[in-house]
Amino acid sequence: MNPGRNDAKVKSIERSVVKKTKLFLHIGHGKTGTSAIQSALAIAAEDLSKTGTYYPISKSLRDKASHLEITSGNWKAQTESTLSEQLIKLAQDNQHYSKIVLSSESLFWLISDFIKDKDAWDEHIDIHLILAVREIDEMLSSEYQQRVKRHGDCIPLGQFLRRRNFISSHHVKAAETINLMHQYNVKHTLINYSKHKQDISRLLFKVIGSEEKYPEAQMKDAIVNRSLSRKELETLTTINALYAKKFPWISTRISDALITNQPKLKSQQCKITTQHLKKIYETNDAYIQAINKFLGPTEKLNSLLNFSQESAKQINSPQNQKKAREEEIISIDLIGEALTQVLSNESQRKLSNDTVDAIIELSQSGRVSKETEIELLQLAKQNRPKALKLSRLLEHATKELLKD
């Protein structure tokens, strides 16, 4: 009789009997309703725990997300351990829960190595990945907005696209991740966010088997971390050009003020030229096809075959145009208030003559709208109150705007 052999047999039987913890990883990617999903999960955390589903989150972070504020989810990288080790420990420490849910866009960029490390975690946890993808023109438009909002960029959209050689890094990574999920037979759910913008949060609750716990009342018509309108984006780009070097945080401060005070203002996708749009679809066609291979017939992303249909955007109705103009006025007031506060708090001295000259030159360059021209001239006038030529320019610009 061989005791060692019998021990090995017993351990093998024990492993097969022990039920693995189900671990849902919502990995984004970015700009696919992640903030809204995380708010819904935070709101429902206590109700979920009562049914055996654990969404680990601190009270302060839960309160922030529950108030529809922007968070980074409920997972953070730990430098002292691998993702596999971290998730195994999380499951071992919470075995009284049948399911655990983690949500973080950061996981998207780490998940490939985690999938390849399946031998390390497969015996301990039952993984189910949730990945949302998005139409490529929407994604690049949203990425550009994020650069302007959070990083102080002031370059035009076309230059932004050329700098990255028209490649969408999110679609490249998504294609790689989806292929790996199939290669390693990892359970997953793939969602086309562009088809499910209104119900993406509810859909996630359905995937984790907790649809009845979805916080309908709190999430109805909720908008978390909206995009900017075209007017807001144009104005913020100009402000970045003038102030970002001196005040690197100014774009974040102003965009936060806009989103906090006008959370439901209608956002608008950046207008991409037909020429650039064709280049985008040509450059990323292989990645889009790789993603579409695993999406249902009605869920597929637009590709090179039908991009021309997408380039012809629907013209707004007169009612929508009127509403947009009304919202623009509110946005401009908010931007003015935020900018005034920033400049008064951070710089008590007047702008330099070179800066004022640059503002006037920009206002007369023909590259900004009439409203922005007036705002720039008003700013210059504050620094040169006795300049008669400046007064005439401002008066003329105001009259021209009233003619429209």
Side-chain angles (χ1 to χ4, degrees):
M1 190 170 180
N2 189 335
R5 188 172 180 181
N6 287 338
D7 288 345
K9 185 176 181 180
V10 169
K11 289 178 181 178
S12 177
I13 293 172
E14 286 176 349
R15 280 197 297 266
S16 64
V17 170
V18 174
K19 187 177 180 180
K20 295 186 287 186
T21 301
K22 185 78 173 179
L23 212 164
F24 291 95
L25 295 184
H26 168 235
I27 63 174
H29 55 60
K31 314 310 294 181
T32 57
T34 306
S35 295
I37 288 170
Q38 290 164 355
S39 288
L41 287 167
I43 291 168
E46 289 188 9
D47 287 340
L48 288 170
S49 68
K50 293 174 184 177
T51 59
T53 299
Y54 182 40
Y55 183 70
I57 186 170
S58 66
K59 184 181 183 303
S60 59
L61 192 59
R62 185 177 70 235
D63 290 344
K64 186 177 180 181
S66 297
H67 287 90
L68 307 183
E69 296 180 35
I70 303 168
T71 69
S72 56
N74 69 334
W75 176 85
K76 287 185 178 180
Q78 296 177 359
T79 55
E80 67 276 9
S81 58
T82 66
L83 179 56
S84 296
E85 292 168 343
Q86 186 180 347
L87 297 184
I88 291 170
K89 186 176 188 307
L90 178 65
Q92 290 174 342
D93 292 346
N94 297 279
Q95 292 182 16
H96 51 291
Y97 290 104
S98 58
K99 292 182 283 188
I100 299 174
V101 181
L102 296 179
S103 175
S104 173
E105 294 175 6
S106 300
L107 288 167
F108 176 68
W109 303 103
L110 303 172
I111 207 66
S112 294
D113 289 338
F114 174 75
I115 294 172
K116 294 173 185 176
D117 197 29
K118 186 178 179 182
D119 286 344
W121 52 260
D122 194 35
E123 290 186 354
H124 306 279
I125 46 181
D126 182 11
I127 290 291
H128 186 131
L129 301 180
I130 304 171
L131 170 62
V133 293
R134 188 175 187 178
E135 296 292 0
I136 196 164
D137 58 331
E138 294 178 3
M139 189 64 223
L140 288 170
S141 171
S142 193
E143 281 190 66
Y144 172 66
Q145 282 222 11
Q146 193 73 358
R147 293 296 310 177
V148 174
K149 284 165 58 178
R150 303 296 174 196
H151 302 280
D153 278 17
C154 59
I155 61 174
L157 175 59
Q159 187 176 346
F160 165 81
L161 294 172
R162 288 191 294 273
R163 277 188 178 180
R164 55 181 51 216
N165 298 314
F166 297 92
I167 294 173
S168 169
S169 57
H170 284 82
H171 286 76
V172 174
K173 190 65 177 178
E176 175 196 338
T177 301
I178 293 166
N179 282 326
L180 284 172
M181 289 190 295
H182 282 269
Q183 180 184 340
Y184 284 83
N185 195 28
V186 176
K187 295 175 188 174
H188 65 276
T189 298
L190 184 60
I191 304 169
N192 181 349
Y193 168 74
S194 297
K195 301 277 188 180
H196 296 280
K197 291 179 182 178
Q198 304 305 317
D199 66 346
I200 185 74
S201 299
R202 182 190 294 278
L203 195 55
L204 181 130
F205 273 69
K206 185 176 181 180
V207 171
I208 67 174
S210 302
E211 190 173 10
E212 75 284 355
K213 297 299 179 184
Y214 178 70
E216 177 70 40
Q218 297 94 321
M219 293 303 296
K220 186 178 180 181
D221 300 325
I223 299 175
V224 187
N225 192 22
R226 70 165 175 86
S227 298
L228 301 180
S229 69
R230 285 179 188 164
K231 178 62 179 177
E232 289 173 336
L233 188 65
E234 175 191 314
T235 307
L236 188 56
T237 303
T238 302
I239 290 171
N240 288 345
L242 293 169
Y243 296 111
K245 285 186 178 180
K246 186 172 183 179
F247 306 122
W249 37 259
I250 197 165
S251 59
T252 299
R253 187 80 60 85
I254 291 176
S255 59
D256 282 350
L258 289 168
I259 292 166
T260 301
N261 291 284
Q262 280 285 93
K264 295 188 178 181
L265 186 145
K266 186 175 178 59
S267 58
Q268 297 161 318
Q269 183 179 329
C270 301
K271 190 174 181 180
I272 303 176
T273 66
T274 303
Q275 181 182 4
H276 282 166
L277 200 57
K278 183 179 180 183
K279 182 71 173 175
I280 288 168
Y281 279 107
E282 288 175 342
T283 305
N284 296 276
D285 188 58
Y287 312 122
I288 294 173
Q289 295 302 335
I291 295 169
N292 278 344
K293 184 179 177 182
F294 301 105
L295 285 168
T298 61
E299 297 289 308
K300 295 187 185 300
L301 299 172
N302 291 309
S303 64
L304 187 59
L305 295 174
N306 57 2
F307 90 93
S308 58
Q309 299 171 14
E310 292 303 303
S311 62
K313 298 297 180 185
Q314 185 177 357
I315 298 174
N316 281 334
S317 66
Q319 292 85 351
N320 286 342
Q321 290 178 346
K322 181 182 178 183
K323 184 179 180 182
R325 285 195 294 270
E326 291 171 350
E327 290 175 338
E328 283 178 359
I329 294 172
I330 297 172
S331 294
I332 291 303
D333 287 343
L334 287 171
I335 290 172
E337 290 173 9
L339 186 58
T340 300
Q341 184 178 9
V342 164
L343 294 178
S344 62
N345 289 345
E346 299 295 331
S347 178
Q348 298 298 323
R349 62 183 177 81
K350 293 278 187 180
L351 298 176
S352 68
N353 283 330
D354 287 345
T355 300
V356 176
D357 288 342
I359 291 171
I360 297 171
E361 183 180 351
L362 180 61
S363 75
Q364 302 302 297
S365 66
R367 293 189 287 113
V368 298
S369 67
K370 292 179 180 179
E371 292 93 339
T372 303
E373 178 186 354
I374 291 173
E375 292 156 19
L376 292 171
L377 289 172
Q378 287 173 337
L379 181 60
K381 182 70 174 162
Q382 289 175 6
N383 286 267
R384 291 181 185 171
K386 297 181 181 180
L388 296 178
K389 183 179 178 181
L390 198 51
S391 298
R392 288 194 293 270
L393 286 173
L394 183 56
E395 182 181 356
H396 175 73
T398 304
K399 288 180 179 179
E400 288 297 310
L401 179 62
L402 293 174
K403 287 181 182 178
D404 292 345

Coordinates of all heavy atoms in Angstrom, one line a residue, residues 154-223:
C154 N -5.0 71.1 -26.0 CA -5.6 72.2 -26.7 C -5.4 72.0 -28.2 O -5.7 72.9 -29.0 CB -5.0 73.5 -26.3 SG -3.2 73.6 -26.5
I155 N -5.0 70.8 -28.7 CA -4.9 70.6 -30.1 C -6.2 70.2 -30.7 O -7.1 69.7 -30.1 CB -3.9 69.4 -30.4 CG1 -4.4 68.1 -29.7 CG2 -2.5 69.8 -29.8 CD1 -3.5 66.9 -30.1
P156 N -6.4 70.5 -32.0 CA -7.6 70.1 -32.7 C -7.8 68.6 -32.8 O -6.8 67.9 -32.7 CB -7.4 70.7 -34.1 CG -6.3 71.7 -34.0 CD -5.4 71.2 -32.9
L157 N -9.0 68.2 -33.0 CA -9.3 66.7 -33.0 C -8.5 66.0 -34.1 O -8.0 64.9 -33.9 CB -10.8 66.5 -33.3 CG -11.3 65.1 -33.5 CD1 -10.9 64.2 -32.3 CD2 -12.8 65.0 -33.8
G158 N -8.4 66.7 -35.3 CA -7.6 66.0 -36.4 C -6.2 65.8 -36.0 O -5.6 64.7 -36.4
Q159 N -5.6 66.7 -35.3 CA -4.2 66.6 -34.9 C -4.1 65.4 -33.9 O -3.1 64.7 -33.9 CB -3.6 67.9 -34.3 CG -2.1 67.8 -34.0 CD -1.6 69.2 -33.5 OE1 -2.3 70.2 -33.6 NE2 -0.5 69.2 -32.9
F160 N -5.1 65.4 -33.0 CA -5.1 64.3 -32.0 C -5.1 62.9 -32.7 O -4.4 62.0 -32.3 CB -6.3 64.5 -31.1 CG -6.7 63.3 -30.3 CD1 -6.1 63.0 -29.1 CD2 -7.7 62.4 -30.7 CE1 -6.4 61.9 -28.3 CE2 -8.1 61.3 -29.9 CZ -7.4 61.1 -28.7
L161 N -5.9 62.8 -33.7 CA -6.0 61.5 -34.5 C -4.7 61.2 -35.2 O -4.3 60.0 -35.2 CB -7.2 61.6 -35.5 CG -8.6 61.7 -34.9 CD1 -9.6 62.0 -36.0 CD2 -9.0 60.5 -34.1
R162 N -4.1 62.2 -35.8 CA -2.9 61.9 -36.5 C -1.8 61.5 -35.6 O -0.9 60.7 -35.9 CB -2.5 63.2 -37.3 CG -3.4 63.4 -38.6 CD -2.8 64.5 -39.5 NE -2.8 65.8 -38.8 CZ -3.8 66.7 -38.8 NH1 -4.9 66.4 -39.4 NH2 -3.7 67.9 -38.2
R163 N -1.7 62.1 -34.4 CA -0.7 61.8 -33.5 C -0.7 60.3 -33.1 O 0.4 59.8 -32.8 CB -0.8 62.7 -32.2 CG -0.2 64.1 -32.3 CD -0.2 64.8 -31.0 NE 0.4 66.1 -31.1 CZ 0.5 66.9 -30.0 NH1 0.0 66.5 -28.8 NH2 1.1 68.1 -30.2
R164 N -1.9 59.7 -33.0 CA -2.0 58.3 -32.7 C -2.1 57.4 -33.9 O -2.5 56.3 -33.8 CB -3.1 58.1 -31.7 CG -4.4 58.6 -32.2 CD -5.5 58.3 -31.1 NE -5.1 58.8 -29.8 CZ -5.3 58.2 -28.6 NH1 -6.1 57.2 -28.6 NH2 -4.9 58.7 -27.5
N165 N -1.8 58.0 -35.1 CA -1.8 57.3 -36.3 C -3.2 56.6 -36.6 O -3.3 55.6 -37.2 CB -0.7 56.2 -36.4 CG 0.6 56.8 -36.3 OD1 1.0 57.8 -37.0 ND2 1.5 56.2 -35.4
F166 N -4.3 57.3 -36.1 CA -5.7 56.9 -36.3 C -6.0 55.5 -35.6 O -7.0 54.9 -35.9 CB -6.0 56.9 -37.8 CG -5.9 58.2 -38.5 CD1 -4.7 58.6 -39.1 CD2 -7.0 59.1 -38.4 CE1 -4.6 59.9 -39.7 CE2 -6.9 60.3 -39.0 CZ -5.7 60.7 -39.7
I167 N -5.1 55.1 -34.7 CA -5.3 53.8 -34.1 C -6.1 54.0 -32.8 O -5.8 54.9 -32.0 CB -4.0 53.1 -33.8 CG1 -3.3 52.7 -35.1 CG2 -4.2 51.9 -32.9 CD1 -1.9 52.2 -34.9
S168 N -7.1 53.2 -32.5 CA -7.8 53.1 -31.2 C -7.2 52.1 -30.4 O -7.3 50.9 -30.6 CB -9.3 52.8 -31.4 OG -9.9 52.6 -30.2
S169 N -6.4 52.5 -29.3 CA -5.7 51.5 -28.5 C -6.7 50.6 -27.7 O -6.4 49.5 -27.4 CB -4.9 52.3 -27.5 OG -5.6 53.2 -26.7
H170 N -7.9 51.2 -27.4 CA -8.9 50.4 -26.8 C -9.4 49.2 -27.6 O -9.7 48.1 -27.1 CB -10.1 51.2 -26.3 CG -9.8 52.1 -25.1 ND1 -9.2 53.3 -25.2 CD2 -10.1 51.9 -23.8 CE1 -9.0 53.8 -24.0 NE2 -9.6 53.0 -23.1
H171 N -9.6 49.5 -28.9 CA -10.0 48.4 -29.8 C -8.9 47.4 -30.0 O -9.2 46.2 -30.2 CB -10.5 49.0 -31.1 CG -11.9 49.7 -31.0 ND1 -12.0 50.9 -30.4 CD2 -13.1 49.3 -31.4 CE1 -13.3 51.2 -30.5 NE2 -14.0 50.3 -31.0
V172 N -7.7 47.8 -30.1 CA -6.6 46.9 -30.2 C -6.5 46.0 -29.0 O -6.4 44.7 -29.2 CB -5.2 47.7 -30.3 CG1 -4.0 46.7 -30.3 CG2 -5.2 48.5 -31.6
K173 N -6.6 46.5 -27.8 CA -6.6 45.7 -26.6 C -7.8 44.9 -26.4 O -7.7 43.7 -26.0 CB -6.4 46.7 -25.4 CG -6.1 45.9 -24.1 CD -4.8 45.3 -24.1 CE -4.4 44.6 -22.8 NZ -3.1 43.9 -22.9
A174 N -9.0 45.4 -26.8 CA -10.2 44.6 -26.7 C -10.1 43.4 -27.6 O -10.5 42.2 -27.2 CB -11.4 45.4 -27.0
A175 N -9.6 43.5 -28.8 CA -9.5 42.4 -29.7 C -8.6 41.3 -29.2 O -8.9 40.1 -29.2 CB -9.0 42.9 -31.1
E176 N -7.4 41.8 -28.6 CA -6.5 40.8 -28.0 C -7.1 40.1 -26.8 O -7.0 38.9 -26.7 CB -5.3 41.6 -27.5 CG -4.3 40.8 -26.7 CD -3.3 41.6 -26.0 OE1 -3.0 42.8 -26.3 OE2 -2.7 41.1 -25.0
T177 N -7.8 40.8 -26.0 CA -8.4 40.2 -24.8 C -9.5 39.2 -25.1 O -9.6 38.1 -24.6 CB -9.1 41.4 -23.9 OG1 -8.0 42.3 -23.5 CG2 -9.7 40.8 -22.7
I178 N -10.3 39.6 -26.1 CA -11.4 38.7 -26.5 C -10.8 37.4 -27.1 O -11.3 36.3 -26.8 CB -12.3 39.4 -27.5 CG1 -13.1 40.5 -26.9 CG2 -13.3 38.4 -28.2 CD1 -13.8 41.5 -27.8
N179 N -9.8 37.5 -27.9 CA -9.2 36.3 -28.4 C -8.6 35.4 -27.3 O -8.7 34.2 -27.4 CB -8.1 36.7 -29.4 CG -8.6 37.1 -30.8 OD1 -9.6 36.5 -31.2 ND2 -8.0 38.0 -31.4
L180 N -8.0 36.0 -26.3 CA -7.4 35.3 -25.2 C -8.5 34.6 -24.4 O -8.4 33.4 -24.0 CB -6.6 36.2 -24.3 CG -5.2 36.6 -24.8 CD1 -4.6 37.6 -24.0 CD2 -4.3 35.4 -24.9
M181 N -9.6 35.3 -24.2 CA -10.7 34.7 -23.4 C -11.2 33.4 -24.1 O -11.6 32.4 -23.4 CB -11.9 35.7 -23.3 CG -11.6 36.8 -22.3 SD -13.0 37.9 -21.9 CE -13.4 38.6 -23.4
H182 N -11.3 33.4 -25.4 CA -11.7 32.2 -26.1 C -10.6 31.2 -26.2 O -10.9 30.0 -26.0 CB -12.2 32.6 -27.6 CG -13.5 33.2 -27.6 ND1 -14.7 32.5 -27.8 CD2 -13.9 34.5 -27.5 CE1 -15.7 33.3 -27.8 NE2 -15.3 34.6 -27.6
Q183 N -9.4 31.6 -26.3 CA -8.3 30.7 -26.4 C -8.1 29.9 -25.1 O -7.9 28.7 -25.1 CB -7.0 31.4 -26.7 CG -5.8 30.5 -26.8 CD -4.5 31.4 -27.0 OE1 -4.5 32.5 -27.5 NE2 -3.3 30.8 -26.7
Y184 N -8.3 30.6 -24.0 CA -8.2 30.0 -22.6 C -9.5 29.5 -22.0 O -9.5 29.1 -20.9 CB -7.4 30.9 -21.7 CG -6.0 31.0 -21.9 CD1 -5.5 31.9 -22.9 CD2 -5.0 30.3 -21.2 CE1 -4.1 32.0 -23.2 CE2 -3.7 30.4 -21.5 CZ -3.2 31.3 -22.4 OH -1.9 31.4 -22.7
N185 N -10.5 29.6 -22.8 CA -11.9 29.2 -22.4 C -12.3 29.8 -21.0 O -12.7 29.2 -20.1 CB -11.9 27.6 -22.2 CG -13.3 27.1 -22.1 OD1 -14.3 27.7 -22.6 ND2 -13.5 26.0 -21.4
V186 N -12.2 31.1 -21.0 CA -12.6 31.9 -19.8 C -14.0 32.4 -20.0 O -14.3 33.0 -21.0 CB -11.6 33.1 -19.6 CG1 -12.1 34.0 -18.4 CG2 -10.2 32.6 -19.3
K187 N -14.9 32.2 -19.0 CA -16.3 32.7 -19.1 C -16.3 34.2 -19.2 O -15.5 34.9 -18.5 CB -17.1 32.3 -17.9 CG -17.2 30.8 -17.7 CD -17.9 30.4 -16.4 CE -17.9 28.9 -16.2 NZ -18.4 28.6 -14.8
H188 N -17.2 34.7 -20.1 CA -17.2 36.1 -20.3 C -18.5 36.6 -20.9 O -19.3 35.8 -21.5 CB -16.0 36.6 -21.2 CG -16.2 36.1 -22.6 ND1 -15.7 34.8 -22.9 CD2 -16.7 36.6 -23.7 CE1 -15.9 34.6 -24.2 NE2 -16.5 35.7 -24.7
T189 N -18.8 37.9 -20.7 CA -19.9 38.5 -21.4 C -19.4 39.7 -22.1 O -18.6 40.6 -21.5 CB -21.0 39.0 -20.4 OG1 -21.5 37.8 -19.7 CG2 -22.1 39.7 -21.1
L190 N -19.7 39.9 -23.4 CA -19.2 41.0 -24.2 C -20.5 41.8 -24.6 O -21.5 41.3 -25.1 CB -18.6 40.4 -25.5 CG -17.9 41.4 -26.5 CD1 -16.8 42.2 -25.8 CD2 -17.4 40.7 -27.7
I191 N -20.4 43.1 -24.3 CA -21.5 44.0 -24.6 C -21.1 45.2 -25.5 O -20.0 45.8 -25.3 CB -22.0 44.6 -23.2 CG1 -22.4 43.5 -22.2 CG2 -23.2 45.6 -23.4 CD1 -22.6 44.0 -20.8
N192 N -21.9 45.5 -26.5 CA -21.7 46.7 -27.3 C -22.4 47.9 -26.6 O -23.6 48.0 -26.7 CB -22.3 46.5 -28.7 CG -22.1 47.7 -29.6 OD1 -21.7 48.8 -29.1 ND2 -22.3 47.5 -30.9
Y193 N -21.6 48.7 -25.9 CA -22.1 49.8 -25.1 C -22.9 50.8 -26.0 O -23.9 51.3 -25.6 CB -21.0 50.6 -24.5 CG -21.4 51.9 -23.9 CD1 -22.1 52.0 -22.7 CD2 -21.0 53.1 -24.5 CE1 -22.5 53.2 -22.2 CE2 -21.4 54.3 -24.0 CZ -22.1 54.4 -22.8 OH -22.5 55.6 -22.3
S194 N -22.5 51.0 -27.2 CA -23.2 51.9 -28.1 C -24.6 51.5 -28.4 O -25.5 52.3 -28.7 CB -22.4 52.0 -29.5 OG -21.2 52.6 -29.3
K195 N -24.9 50.2 -28.2 CA -26.3 49.7 -28.4 C -27.1 49.7 -27.1 O -28.3 49.5 -27.0 CB -26.3 48.2 -28.9 CG -25.6 48.1 -30.3 CD -26.5 48.4 -31.4 CE -25.8 48.0 -32.7 NZ -26.7 48.3 -33.9
H196 N -26.3 49.9 -26.0 CA -27.0 49.7 -24.6 C -26.6 50.9 -23.7 O -26.5 50.7 -22.5 CB -26.5 48.4 -24.0 CG -27.0 47.2 -24.7 ND1 -28.2 46.7 -24.6 CD2 -26.3 46.4 -25.6 CE1 -28.3 45.6 -25.4 NE2 -27.2 45.4 -26.0
K197 N -26.6 52.1 -24.3 CA -26.2 53.2 -23.4 C -27.2 53.5 -22.3 O -26.9 53.9 -21.2 CB -26.1 54.5 -24.3 CG -24.9 54.5 -25.2 CD -24.8 55.7 -26.1 CE -23.7 55.7 -27.0 NZ -23.6 56.9 -27.9
Q198 N -28.5 53.2 -22.6 CA -29.5 53.5 -21.6 C -29.7 52.4 -20.6 O -30.3 52.7 -19.5 CB -30.9 53.7 -22.4 CG -30.8 54.8 -23.4 CD -30.3 56.2 -22.9 OE1 -30.7 56.6 -21.8 NE2 -29.5 56.8 -23.6
D199 N -29.3 51.2 -20.9 CA -29.5 50.1 -19.9 C -28.3 49.3 -19.6 O -28.4 48.2 -19.1 CB -30.6 49.2 -20.5 CG -30.1 48.4 -21.8 OD1 -29.1 48.8 -22.4 OD2 -30.8 47.5 -22.2
I200 N -27.1 49.9 -19.8 CA -25.8 49.2 -19.5 C -25.7 48.7 -18.0 O -25.3 47.6 -17.8 CB -24.6 50.0 -19.9 CG1 -23.3 49.2 -19.8 CG2 -24.5 51.3 -19.1 CD1 -23.1 48.2 -20.8
S201 N -26.1 49.6 -17.1 CA -26.0 49.2 -15.7 C -27.0 48.1 -15.3 O -26.6 47.1 -14.7 CB -26.4 50.4 -14.8 OG -25.5 51.5 -15.0
R202 N -28.2 48.2 -15.8 CA -29.2 47.1 -15.6 C -28.7 45.8 -16.2 O -28.9 44.7 -15.6 CB -30.5 47.5 -16.2 CG -31.6 46.4 -15.9 CD -32.9 46.7 -16.7 NE -33.5 47.9 -16.3 CZ -34.3 48.0 -15.2 NH1 -34.6 46.9 -14.5 NH2 -34.9 49.2 -14.9
L203 N -28.1 45.9 -17.4 CA -27.6 44.7 -18.1 C -26.5 44.0 -17.2 O -26.5 42.8 -17.2 CB -27.0 45.1 -19.4 CG -26.8 44.0 -20.4 CD1 -28.0 43.2 -20.7 CD2 -26.3 44.6 -21.8
L204 N -25.7 44.8 -16.6 CA -24.6 44.2 -15.8 C -25.2 43.4 -14.6 O -24.8 42.3 -14.2 CB -23.6 45.2 -15.3 CG -22.5 44.6 -14.4 CD1 -21.1 45.1 -14.9 CD2 -22.7 44.9 -12.9
F205 N -26.2 44.0 -13.9 CA -26.9 43.4 -12.8 C -27.5 42.1 -13.3 O -27.6 41.1 -12.5 CB -28.0 44.3 -12.2 CG -27.5 45.2 -11.2 CD1 -26.6 46.2 -11.5 CD2 -27.8 45.0 -9.9 CE1 -26.1 47.1 -10.5 CE2 -27.4 45.9 -8.9 CZ -26.5 46.9 -9.2
K206 N -28.0 42.0 -14.5 CA -28.6 40.8 -15.1 C -27.5 39.7 -15.2 O -27.7 38.6 -14.9 CB -29.3 41.1 -16.4 CG -30.0 39.9 -17.0 CD -30.7 40.3 -18.3 CE -31.4 39.1 -18.9 NZ -32.2 39.5 -20.2
V207 N -26.3 40.2 -15.7 CA -25.2 39.2 -15.9 C -24.8 38.6 -14.6 O -24.5 37.4 -14.6 CB -24.0 40.0 -16.6 CG1 -22.8 39.1 -16.6 CG2 -24.4 40.4 -18.0
I208 N -24.8 39.4 -13.5 CA -24.3 38.8 -12.2 C -25.4 38.1 -11.5 O -25.2 37.6 -10.4 CB -23.7 39.9 -11.3 CG1 -24.7 40.9 -10.9 CG2 -22.5 40.6 -12.0 CD1 -24.2 41.9 -9.9
G209 N -26.6 38.0 -12.1 CA -27.7 37.3 -11.5 C -28.4 38.0 -10.4 O -29.0 37.4 -9.5
S210 N -28.4 39.4 -10.5 CA -29.0 40.2 -9.4 C -29.9 41.3 -10.0 O -29.9 42.4 -9.5 CB -27.9 40.8 -8.5 OG -27.1 39.8 -7.9
E211 N -30.6 41.0 -11.1 CA -31.4 42.0 -11.8 C -32.4 42.6 -10.8 O -32.7 43.8 -10.9 CB -32.1 41.4 -13.0 CG -32.7 42.5 -13.9 CD -33.2 42.0 -15.2 OE1 -33.2 40.7 -15.4 OE2 -33.6 42.8 -16.1
E212 N -33.0 41.8 -9.9 CA -34.0 42.3 -9.0 C -33.5 43.3 -8.0 O -34.2 44.0 -7.4 CB -34.7 41.1 -8.3 CG -33.9 40.5 -7.2 CD -32.7 39.6 -7.7 OE1 -32.6 39.4 -8.9 OE2 -32.0 39.1 -6.8
K213 N -32.1 43.4 -7.8 CA -31.5 44.3 -6.9 C -31.1 45.6 -7.6 O -30.5 46.5 -6.9 CB -30.3 43.6 -6.2 CG -30.7 42.4 -5.4 CD -31.6 42.8 -4.2 CE -32.0 41.6 -3.4 NZ -33.0 41.9 -2.4
Y214 N -31.3 45.7 -8.8 CA -30.9 47.0 -9.5 C -31.7 48.2 -8.9 O -32.9 48.1 -8.8 CB -31.2 46.8 -11.0 CG -30.9 48.1 -11.8 CD1 -29.6 48.5 -12.0 CD2 -31.9 48.9 -12.3 CE1 -29.2 49.6 -12.7 CE2 -31.6 50.1 -13.1 CZ -30.2 50.4 -13.2 OH -29.9 51.5 -13.9
P215 N -30.9 49.2 -8.5 CA -31.6 50.4 -7.9 C -32.3 51.3 -8.9 O -31.8 52.4 -9.2 CB -30.4 51.1 -7.2 CG -29.2 50.7 -8.1 CD -29.5 49.3 -8.6
E216 N -33.4 50.9 -9.3 CA -34.2 51.6 -10.4 C -34.4 53.0 -10.0 O -34.2 53.9 -10.8 CB -35.5 50.8 -10.6 CG -36.4 51.5 -11.7 CD -35.8 51.4 -13.1 OE1 -35.3 50.3 -13.4 OE2 -35.9 52.4 -13.8
A217 N -34.9 53.3 -8.8 CA -35.3 54.6 -8.5 C -34.2 55.6 -8.5 O -34.3 56.7 -9.0 CB -36.0 54.6 -7.1
Q218 N -33.0 55.2 -7.9 CA -31.9 56.1 -7.8 C -31.2 56.3 -9.2 O -30.6 57.3 -9.4 CB -30.9 55.5 -6.8 CG -31.4 55.4 -5.4 CD -31.9 54.1 -5.1 OE1 -32.6 53.4 -5.9 NE2 -31.7 53.6 -3.8
M219 N -31.3 55.3 -10.0 CA -30.5 55.3 -11.3 C -31.4 55.8 -12.5 O -30.9 56.0 -13.6 CB -30.0 54.0 -11.7 CG -28.9 53.5 -10.7 SD -27.5 54.6 -10.6 CE -26.8 54.5 -12.2
K220 N -32.7 56.1 -12.3 CA -33.5 56.5 -13.3 C -33.0 57.9 -13.8 O -32.9 58.9 -13.1 CB -35.0 56.6 -12.9 CG -35.9 57.0 -14.0 CD -37.4 57.0 -13.5 CE -38.3 57.3 -14.6 NZ -39.7 57.4 -14.2
D221 N -32.8 58.0 -15.1 CA -32.3 59.2 -15.8 C -31.0 59.7 -15.2 O -30.6 60.8 -15.5 CB -33.3 60.3 -15.7 CG -34.6 59.9 -16.3 OD1 -34.6 59.2 -17.4 OD2 -35.7 60.3 -15.8
A222 N -30.2 58.9 -14.5 CA -29.0 59.3 -13.9 C -27.9 59.4 -15.0 O -27.8 58.5 -15.9 CB -28.5 58.3 -12.8
I223 N -27.1 60.4 -14.9 CA -26.0 60.6 -15.8 C -24.7 60.9 -15.0 O -24.7 61.8 -14.2 CB -26.2 61.8 -16.8 CG1 -27.5 61.5 -17.7 CG2 -25.0 62.0 -17.7 CD1 -27.8 62.7 -18.6

